[in-house]
Amino acid sequence: MNIRMIGFVLGRILLVEAGLLTLPLAVALLYREPAMPWLITMAALVVCGALLSFRKPERTALYAKDGFAAVALVWLLMSAFGALPFVLSGDILHYVDAFFETVSGFTTTGASILPAVEPLSRGSLFWRSFTHWVGGMGVLVFVMAILPMSDGHTMHILRAEMPGPTAGKLVSRMSDTAKILYGIYFVMTAVMILLLVLGGMDLFDACIHAFGTAGTGGFSSRNASVGAYNSAYIDIVTGIGMLAFGVNFNLYFFLLVRRFREVLRSEELWVYLGIVAASTAAIAANILSLYGSVGTALRHTFFQVSSVITTTGYATVDFGQWPVFSKTVLVLLMFVGGCAGSTAGGLKVTRIVTLAKAAVMDMRKMLHPNAVINVRMEGRALPEKQVRGVQAYLSIYILILCGSWLLLSLAGFDELTTFTAVVTCINNVGPGLNMVGPTGNFGFFAPWAKLLLSFDMLAGRLELFPMLLLFAPSIWRGSHVRRSTLEHL
């Protein structure tokens, strides 16, 4: 493994994080809050980043396992340093709590240990939501968009960080692809801020909620989340915005270059929208008696379905009080997640479709052993290796989910709280049910449980393998491995 090159990449990322902290520092100065927590953190980042990236190593190639290790370590280090301002400012007293909050921010989970967020300083409120925006498209993808990196190793980094089973180039150079994706992301976020301001939010709150919507994160500046505004306009705009950021960003590029057929032929997009429509209709019918008005029921249902399937986690009402059928549908949507190549978490719609088609294919092969049957997606046959890869991913996902659920049950809380806490963290959703519902928080868990859930959030955001490979002894064994033994993804 190329340890020196990984350290060089880590150093550059830490320097970038130091630059990102200038934004919450500016907010703190604007609202006349202490600047020292931000300055101390920035100084620590600059020193560590400079030491790691002082000299670029001669051997710059990064292979598959190098890319996975770099991604996992980057997210851990950024979260570790990003937690410092919360502790230094006194907004969060314990470092493990601050680390949990920061991991939740970068992974766009939105699970919080705070019983109330409104007492936080403006700088802290801005930083915890801005981490959503940075983590939404990927930390290293963000760095690729602003710093030159060799395409010889960026593919492995992008593959390890991009959400979804596939990662490809929109244009010939991977760094240019990152610039295009972040350009689209930036414009959509700016439009979201403008629409929220037009709906009556002040600029600060509009930025906070736009960051959470764009990154599908869910941190709010209000204790009652989006429901605090009690505005049909804001609910609808935010609901549509969450759905839009849950769509594969490649499709937006195709729209820009007028490849409309590519968009219309996207099977994943139509299944995604179909799930949203069916879930909204089913839940609205189930909760109609609670609100007495079809319009109100549809409004809250559409918002909550959009929030959960995109793993954003915003809320307009306490859906923990809804009937069991409605809560069951929402829990199932937590597993589904958004589209591959979006900022949403979960298993991803394309994996769900592939798994369903693979199950049908296997049953048909049992009935017709000699028939040649393939899993087809958008008119093309998927390679057998890709289908089996999705099935292997599901197996590992279930093992981590069940293992985490078993360990967290040692904390002694009820089954629904324990199960949905793990589900909402590994799928990067945010709120669960019962004690971790929309009106609850994760602050009651012991430090070890918060670290376990932090691991789940990171594993879910990074497609499992980068975090798991950190525990493999072979990845740390030696720095020189023959090229022929490395598997390129």
Side-chain angles (χ1 to χ4, degrees):
M1 187 168 68
N2 194 344
I3 300 292
R4 291 184 179 179
M5 187 57 194
I6 291 177
F8 179 79
V9 172
L10 294 179
R12 295 185 76 177
I13 301 299
L14 295 182
L15 292 175
V16 170
E17 185 177 15
L20 294 176
L21 283 171
T22 58
L23 292 177
L25 171 62
V27 172
L29 293 174
L30 181 64
Y31 287 93
R32 298 182 180 179
E33 296 171 348
M36 196 55 65
W38 308 102
L39 294 174
I40 292 174
T41 305
M42 291 169 67
L45 284 165
V46 168
V47 170
C48 293
L51 289 175
L52 288 170
S53 61
F54 176 73
R55 179 183 297 177
K56 189 173 183 178
E58 295 181 1
R59 191 167 68 93
T60 62
L62 283 178
Y63 300 105
K65 71 174 185 178
D66 299 328
F68 286 141
V71 167
L73 291 173
V74 160
W75 284 68
L76 282 169
L77 280 178
M78 286 193 70
S79 298
F81 279 101
L84 291 178
F86 294 123
V87 178
L88 295 174
S89 64
D91 285 330
I92 299 178
L93 298 180
H94 302 291
Y95 182 78
V96 171
D97 288 349
F99 180 75
F100 179 95
E101 198 79 6
T102 310
V103 169
S104 184
F106 277 120
T107 60
T108 73
T109 303
S112 180
I113 51 86
L114 298 168
V117 298
E118 291 175 7
L120 293 181
S121 64
R122 292 285 180 145
S124 292
L125 282 173
F126 185 90
W127 175 238
R128 71 196 285 270
S129 290
F130 187 59
T131 54
H132 282 336
W133 193 84
V134 175
M137 287 294 289
V139 172
L140 284 163
V141 178
F142 176 76
V143 174
M144 286 182 217
I146 62 175
L147 293 177
M149 296 184 74
S150 169
D151 276 8
H153 57 259
T154 53
M155 183 59 190
H156 299 307
I157 292 176
L158 185 64
R159 176 64 186 90
E161 192 179 60
M162 283 294 285
T166 58
K169 297 181 181 181
L170 297 178
V171 291
S172 59
R173 287 177 57 83
M174 191 63 69
S175 56
D176 292 337
T177 294
K179 290 182 175 68
I180 291 170
L181 291 175
Y182 254 99
I184 296 171
Y185 189 46
F186 180 84
V187 171
M188 290 177 64
T189 305
V191 170
M192 192 71 203
I193 293 173
L194 177 61
L195 291 175
L196 291 176
V197 169
L198 293 175
M201 280 193 186
D202 61 56
L203 182 59
F204 180 84
D205 281 0
C207 289
I208 295 296
H209 290 91
F211 292 155
T213 302
T216 61
F219 278 153
S220 174
S221 54
R222 300 296 186 94
N223 294 333
S225 190
V226 178
Y229 299 94
N230 194 26
S231 167
Y233 171 87
I234 290 177
D235 292 352
I236 293 171
V237 166
T238 307
I240 294 174
M242 290 186 291
L243 279 185
F245 283 99
V247 172
N248 191 326
F249 272 63
N250 288 0
L251 298 184
Y252 294 127
F253 174 76
F254 293 150
L255 286 176
L256 287 175
V257 296
R258 300 185 178 183
R259 292 166 59 180
F260 302 118
R261 289 185 181 180
E262 297 281 351
V263 178
L264 294 176
R265 281 176 12 195
S266 175
E267 189 174 346
E268 182 186 32
L269 175 63
W270 291 113
V271 172
Y272 170 66
L273 296 177
I275 292 173
V276 170
S279 301
T280 300
I283 294 178
N286 188 233
I287 67 170
L288 180 59
S289 60
L290 298 178
Y291 297 99
S293 165
V294 174
T296 304
L298 281 173
R299 166 188 156 192
H300 291 306
T301 301
F302 170 70
F303 183 95
Q304 217 53 68
V305 166
S306 298
S307 179
V308 171
I309 196 172
T310 60
T311 68
T312 306
Y314 281 141
T316 55
V317 293
D318 182 7
F319 58 80
Q321 303 302 315
W322 285 1
V324 174
F325 173 80
S326 297
K327 290 188 290 187
T328 302
V329 173
L330 291 178
V331 171
L332 292 175
L333 292 178
M334 293 179 185
F335 289 97
V336 174
C339 299
S342 70
T343 61
L347 284 170
K348 308 295 184 302
V349 173
T350 187
R351 283 200 182 100
I352 300 296
V353 174
T354 301
L355 289 168
K357 289 187 174 184
V360 173
M361 179 191 71
D362 289 339
M363 287 189 289
R364 290 178 64 188
K365 282 186 175 180
M366 292 176 64
L367 297 175
H368 308 283
N370 297 323
V372 178
I373 305 171
N374 295 314
V375 174
R376 301 186 69 83
M377 182 74 74
E378 299 175 4
R380 295 186 295 269
L382 294 180
E384 183 74 10
K385 181 179 179 181
Q386 185 174 340
V387 175
R388 298 309 172 198
V390 171
Q391 293 173 329
Y393 180 92
L394 179 65
S395 301
I396 297 172
Y397 172 89
I398 291 173
L399 286 174
I400 295 176
L401 175 66
C402 292
S404 298
W405 183 16
L406 180 64
L407 290 174
L408 195 63
S409 66
L410 295 173
F413 299 104
D414 66 273
E415 290 110 345
L416 193 57
T417 294
T418 303
F419 176 70
T420 57
V422 173
V423 169
T424 196
C425 284
I426 199 170
N427 291 307
N428 306 129
V429 179
L433 296 173
N434 278 13
M435 296 173 68
V436 293
T439 60
N441 62 79
F442 290 72
F444 57 86
F445 283 113
W448 68 264
K450 292 171 184 171
L451 291 176
L452 171 65
L453 293 173
S454 296
F455 170 83
D456 288 338
M457 288 188 281
L458 286 165
R461 174 59 184 84
L462 300 179
E463 302 289 288
L464 306 182
F465 296 106
M467 292 302 298
L468 290 180
L469 287 176
L470 289 182
F471 296 94
S474 61
I475 202 168
W476 304 108
R477 194 175 298 145
S479 59
H480 298 282
V481 183
R482 293 176 60 185
R483 181 186 294 257
S484 60
T485 64
L486 294 173
E487 181 182 12
H488 292 264
L489 296 184

